[in-house]
Amino acid sequence: MKSSFVVSPVITATCAVLCGTLMDALVKYVGQSVDLLTLVFWRFAIATVFVAVPFFATGRRLPGWKATRFHAMRGLIHVFAAYLFFFALSKLELAEVTVLGFTAALLIIPVARVLLGEKMHPISLLAGLVGFAGVIATFVGTDFEADITPDRMIGFVSVMTSACLYATSLVLLRMRAALDGGFAVAVYANFFPAVFFAPIAFTFGEPAQFGDVPILLFIGFFGMMIWLLMTSAYARAPAQRLAPVEYTALLWSALLGWFIFKEVPSANLWIGASLIIGACMIVLWQDHADRKAAKAG
């Protein structure tokens, strides 16, 4: 009797989230010595090599020009979302940026309403209000004047703008993911951001030092693994089952922030995180109920 070891999709998705948090931690760490423009370019350029080589080596081919043009537009949005997120890491604590980044899941609803004309449920509006309360609780501590500094405000605006752009990117992805396949999407998702950011990085950025190359390679590797692991997980399990795994990023970021940067998450962060995660779970429940009703009808 032959037996094969298959990793649970939940574990696979958890590993993908861990890879994403490790990438963010490395970006925050190396950002102290590598110019951000250069860092963003190499993050996508290295990941492109990691994902494109096995893609083409196995005989796969990219979709036609229609898909390519679509992913080029999405890549432009995605690269600026990444830039703003990485910039926020230089202004705020790792766990704080992670929690505020969770709001992208809530922002998908209004973005889908604008771009796809999807109906907004009253429950989703309630979830948005709860999530907004979580954002305020996360960012504003007990000492208002100490917490609302110019640097922190810049970081806050950056991560929230990034969340809006990332939500837009995800909504657009829903329009092509099933047609193009996860592996092809991973190639596009890294190639176009690298192409778009190359002129900016080489014109205005400062070259990375040789000693930073190993960390840049790890950043690119983790960036690739996020897509491949998530694609594998979502291909084998429903989204409702895997979505809560996304919030393990808070645990990973809290541990890495404490271990690497000596950052200790405040009580306000945990309160805010609970509200934001609760709001996202409300949206998830509503989506599940809608899908169940649609099947029954």
Side-chain angles (χ1 to χ4, degrees):
M1 179 182 295
K2 292 185 178 180
S3 61
S4 59
F5 176 75
V6 179
V7 179
S8 162
V10 173
I11 295 177
T12 302
T14 302
C15 290
V17 174
L18 175 58
C19 284
T21 312
L22 285 169
M23 182 187 72
D24 294 341
L26 287 176
V27 166
K28 185 176 178 66
Y29 177 79
V30 79
Q32 301 171 11
S33 59
V34 178
D35 181 82
L36 182 59
L37 298 175
T38 302
L39 178 57
V40 171
F41 166 72
W42 284 114
R43 173 262 180 268
F44 287 107
I46 293 171
T48 298
V49 174
F50 278 136
V51 74
V53 169
F55 179 85
F56 291 110
T58 53
R60 292 180 173 88
R61 292 293 179 268
L62 293 172
W65 281 110
K66 182 178 180 180
T68 301
R69 289 193 299 270
F70 178 88
H71 286 289
M73 175 186 65
R74 181 176 169 270
L76 185 62
I77 296 171
H78 186 61
V79 72
F80 283 106
Y83 174 82
L84 291 170
F85 189 88
F86 291 167
F87 178 76
L89 288 170
S90 68
K91 302 296 182 181
L92 303 173
E93 294 184 357
L94 179 61
E96 195 172 23
V97 175
T98 299
V99 170
L100 293 174
F102 287 156
T103 56
L106 298 175
L107 293 170
I108 287 176
I109 300 167
V111 170
R113 169 64 178 170
V114 174
L115 296 183
L116 304 180
E118 294 184 357
K119 183 179 178 181
M120 290 183 65
H121 197 282
I123 294 294
S124 299
L125 295 177
L126 173 62
L129 292 175
V130 174
F132 180 74
V135 169
I136 299 301
T138 298
F139 186 66
V140 182
T142 54
D143 189 345
F144 185 85
E145 291 186 1
D147 290 323
I148 308 302
T149 62
D151 256 15
R152 283 178 55 76
M153 281 302 300
I154 291 172
F156 175 79
V157 172
S158 295
V159 70
M160 295 306 295
T161 304
S162 172
C164 291
L165 292 173
Y166 184 61
T168 303
S169 175
L170 289 178
V171 170
L172 291 174
L173 179 61
R174 286 166 52 181
M175 299 168 64
R176 293 288 318 182
L179 296 173
D180 302 333
F183 218 149
V185 168
V187 174
Y188 282 130
N190 289 288
F191 173 74
F192 280 117
V195 170
F196 290 140
F197 226 69
I200 300 174
F202 285 107
T203 302
F204 302 104
E206 298 178 4
Q209 302 300 313
F210 182 76
D212 296 317
V213 171
I215 295 181
L216 292 175
L217 289 173
F218 274 111
I219 289 173
F221 174 76
F222 288 135
M224 171 200 69
M225 291 303 296
I226 297 168
W227 286 98
L228 295 184
L229 290 173
M230 275 300 185
T231 300
S232 172
Y234 276 86
R236 294 181 290 127
Q240 289 84 0
R241 181 182 172 193
L242 298 178
V245 173
E246 294 279 355
Y247 305 117
T248 61
L250 176 56
L251 174 62
W252 303 131
S253 63
L255 290 172
L256 290 170
W258 170 76
F259 183 73
I260 300 175
F261 307 107
K262 309 304 179 186
E263 298 172 349
V264 180
S266 66
N268 289 76
L269 184 138
W270 294 108
I271 294 172
S274 299
L275 289 171
I276 294 172
I277 292 172
C280 293
M281 296 305 292
I282 291 173
V283 171
L284 183 65
W285 172 82
Q286 182 59 50
D287 180 68
H288 176 70
D290 290 344
R291 291 176 184 273
K292 188 175 181 180
K295 288 183 179 179

PDB file of all heavy atoms in Angstrom, residues 103-116:
ATOM      1  N   THR A 103      -7.095  45.883   7.747  1.00  0.00           N
ATOM      2  CA  THR A 103      -8.269  46.626   7.267  1.00  0.00           C
ATOM      3  C   THR A 103      -8.481  46.457   5.759  1.00  0.00           C
ATOM      4  O   THR A 103      -9.562  46.768   5.255  1.00  0.00           O
ATOM      5  CB  THR A 103      -8.139  48.124   7.582  1.00  0.00           C
ATOM      6  OG1 THR A 103      -6.925  48.634   7.016  1.00  0.00           O
ATOM      7  CG2 THR A 103      -8.122  48.355   9.089  1.00  0.00           C
ATOM      8  N   ALA A 104      -7.488  45.960   5.053  1.00  0.00           N
ATOM      9  CA  ALA A 104      -7.652  45.721   3.611  1.00  0.00           C
ATOM     10  C   ALA A 104      -8.830  44.776   3.357  1.00  0.00           C
ATOM     11  O   ALA A 104      -9.563  44.921   2.373  1.00  0.00           O
ATOM     12  CB  ALA A 104      -6.375  45.148   3.019  1.00  0.00           C
ATOM     13  N   ALA A 105      -9.023  43.795   4.276  1.00  0.00           N
ATOM     14  CA  ALA A 105     -10.132  42.848   4.119  1.00  0.00           C
ATOM     15  C   ALA A 105     -11.482  43.559   4.197  1.00  0.00           C
ATOM     16  O   ALA A 105     -12.438  43.164   3.520  1.00  0.00           O
ATOM     17  CB  ALA A 105     -10.049  41.765   5.195  1.00  0.00           C
ATOM     18  N   LEU A 106     -11.566  44.612   5.022  1.00  0.00           N
ATOM     19  CA  LEU A 106     -12.810  45.369   5.135  1.00  0.00           C
ATOM     20  C   LEU A 106     -13.003  46.299   3.937  1.00  0.00           C
ATOM     21  O   LEU A 106     -14.129  46.531   3.491  1.00  0.00           O
ATOM     22  CB  LEU A 106     -12.813  46.187   6.424  1.00  0.00           C
ATOM     23  CG  LEU A 106     -12.742  45.402   7.735  1.00  0.00           C
ATOM     24  CD1 LEU A 106     -12.619  46.362   8.911  1.00  0.00           C
ATOM     25  CD2 LEU A 106     -13.964  44.514   7.905  1.00  0.00           C
ATOM     26  N   LEU A 107     -11.904  46.833   3.441  1.00  0.00           N
ATOM     27  CA  LEU A 107     -11.982  47.793   2.339  1.00  0.00           C
ATOM     28  C   LEU A 107     -12.340  47.132   1.017  1.00  0.00           C
ATOM     29  O   LEU A 107     -12.737  47.809   0.064  1.00  0.00           O
ATOM     30  CB  LEU A 107     -10.645  48.535   2.216  1.00  0.00           C
ATOM     31  CG  LEU A 107     -10.306  49.450   3.395  1.00  0.00           C
ATOM     32  CD1 LEU A 107      -8.861  49.934   3.297  1.00  0.00           C
ATOM     33  CD2 LEU A 107     -11.256  50.636   3.451  1.00  0.00           C
ATOM     34  N   ILE A 108     -12.192  45.809   0.945  1.00  0.00           N
ATOM     35  CA  ILE A 108     -12.574  45.088  -0.275  1.00  0.00           C
ATOM     36  C   ILE A 108     -14.048  45.329  -0.604  1.00  0.00           C
ATOM     37  O   ILE A 108     -14.425  45.437  -1.774  1.00  0.00           O
ATOM     38  CB  ILE A 108     -12.297  43.576  -0.112  1.00  0.00           C
ATOM     39  CG1 ILE A 108     -10.783  43.318  -0.183  1.00  0.00           C
ATOM     40  CG2 ILE A 108     -13.016  42.768  -1.190  1.00  0.00           C
ATOM     41  CD1 ILE A 108     -10.408  41.876   0.073  1.00  0.00           C
ATOM     42  N   ILE A 109     -14.873  45.451   0.431  1.00  0.00           N
ATOM     43  CA  ILE A 109     -16.324  45.582   0.222  1.00  0.00           C
ATOM     44  C   ILE A 109     -16.671  46.866  -0.528  1.00  0.00           C
ATOM     45  O   ILE A 109     -17.318  46.814  -1.579  1.00  0.00           O
ATOM     46  CB  ILE A 109     -17.067  45.512   1.569  1.00  0.00           C
ATOM     47  CG1 ILE A 109     -16.782  44.171   2.248  1.00  0.00           C
ATOM     48  CG2 ILE A 109     -18.564  45.695   1.371  1.00  0.00           C
ATOM     49  CD1 ILE A 109     -17.201  44.128   3.691  1.00  0.00           C
ATOM     50  N   PRO A 110     -16.258  48.048  -0.043  1.00  0.00           N
ATOM     51  CA  PRO A 110     -16.592  49.262  -0.811  1.00  0.00           C
ATOM     52  C   PRO A 110     -15.890  49.328  -2.157  1.00  0.00           C
ATOM     53  O   PRO A 110     -16.444  49.860  -3.125  1.00  0.00           O
ATOM     54  CB  PRO A 110     -16.138  50.402   0.115  1.00  0.00           C
ATOM     55  CG  PRO A 110     -15.170  49.793   1.060  1.00  0.00           C
ATOM     56  CD  PRO A 110     -15.628  48.383   1.251  1.00  0.00           C
ATOM     57  N   VAL A 111     -14.670  48.783  -2.235  1.00  0.00           N
ATOM     58  CA  VAL A 111     -13.958  48.786  -3.508  1.00  0.00           C
ATOM     59  C   VAL A 111     -14.696  47.914  -4.530  1.00  0.00           C
ATOM     60  O   VAL A 111     -14.849  48.291  -5.700  1.00  0.00           O
ATOM     61  CB  VAL A 111     -12.499  48.298  -3.328  1.00  0.00           C
ATOM     62  CG1 VAL A 111     -11.833  48.073  -4.688  1.00  0.00           C
ATOM     63  CG2 VAL A 111     -11.694  49.306  -2.519  1.00  0.00           C
ATOM     64  N   ALA A 112     -15.159  46.746  -4.098  1.00  0.00           N
ATOM     65  CA  ALA A 112     -15.923  45.859  -4.987  1.00  0.00           C
ATOM     66  C   ALA A 112     -17.232  46.510  -5.412  1.00  0.00           C
ATOM     67  O   ALA A 112     -17.716  46.296  -6.531  1.00  0.00           O
ATOM     68  CB  ALA A 112     -16.193  44.530  -4.301  1.00  0.00           C
ATOM     69  N   ARG A 113     -17.796  47.319  -4.523  1.00  0.00           N
ATOM     70  CA  ARG A 113     -19.020  48.045  -4.861  1.00  0.00           C
ATOM     71  C   ARG A 113     -18.758  49.027  -5.994  1.00  0.00           C
ATOM     72  O   ARG A 113     -19.536  49.137  -6.946  1.00  0.00           O
ATOM     73  CB  ARG A 113     -19.533  48.794  -3.616  1.00  0.00           C
ATOM     74  CG  ARG A 113     -20.656  49.800  -3.884  1.00  0.00           C
ATOM     75  CD  ARG A 113     -21.903  49.126  -4.391  1.00  0.00           C
ATOM     76  NE  ARG A 113     -22.978  50.078  -4.609  1.00  0.00           N
ATOM     77  CZ  ARG A 113     -24.111  49.791  -5.216  1.00  0.00           C
ATOM     78  NH1 ARG A 113     -24.329  48.562  -5.673  1.00  0.00           N
ATOM     79  NH2 ARG A 113     -25.048  50.703  -5.389  1.00  0.00           N
ATOM     80  N   VAL A 114     -17.619  49.732  -5.917  1.00  0.00           N
ATOM     81  CA  VAL A 114     -17.284  50.745  -6.919  1.00  0.00           C
ATOM     82  C   VAL A 114     -16.864  50.105  -8.238  1.00  0.00           C
ATOM     83  O   VAL A 114     -17.326  50.496  -9.313  1.00  0.00           O
ATOM     84  CB  VAL A 114     -16.163  51.669  -6.399  1.00  0.00           C
ATOM     85  CG1 VAL A 114     -15.706  52.621  -7.498  1.00  0.00           C
ATOM     86  CG2 VAL A 114     -16.656  52.456  -5.189  1.00  0.00           C
ATOM     87  N   LEU A 115     -15.991  49.097  -8.164  1.00  0.00           N
ATOM     88  CA  LEU A 115     -15.423  48.526  -9.384  1.00  0.00           C
ATOM     89  C   LEU A 115     -16.313  47.462 -10.032  1.00  0.00           C
ATOM     90  O   LEU A 115     -16.352  47.356 -11.260  1.00  0.00           O
ATOM     91  CB  LEU A 115     -14.051  47.911  -9.081  1.00  0.00           C
ATOM     92  CG  LEU A 115     -12.947  48.886  -8.628  1.00  0.00           C
ATOM     93  CD1 LEU A 115     -11.636  48.132  -8.431  1.00  0.00           C
ATOM     94  CD2 LEU A 115     -12.761  50.003  -9.645  1.00  0.00           C
ATOM     95  N   LEU A 116     -16.986  46.663  -9.208  1.00  0.00           N
ATOM     96  CA  LEU A 116     -17.749  45.538  -9.742  1.00  0.00           C
ATOM     97  C   LEU A 116     -19.255  45.700  -9.586  1.00  0.00           C
ATOM     98  O   LEU A 116     -20.016  44.856 -10.073  1.00  0.00           O
ATOM     99  CB  LEU A 116     -17.306  44.230  -9.055  1.00  0.00           C
ATOM    100  CG  LEU A 116     -15.817  43.891  -9.134  1.00  0.00           C
ATOM    101  CD1 LEU A 116     -15.547  42.581  -8.411  1.00  0.00           C
ATOM    102  CD2 LEU A 116     -15.339  43.822 -10.573  1.00  0.00           C
TER     103      LEU A 116
END
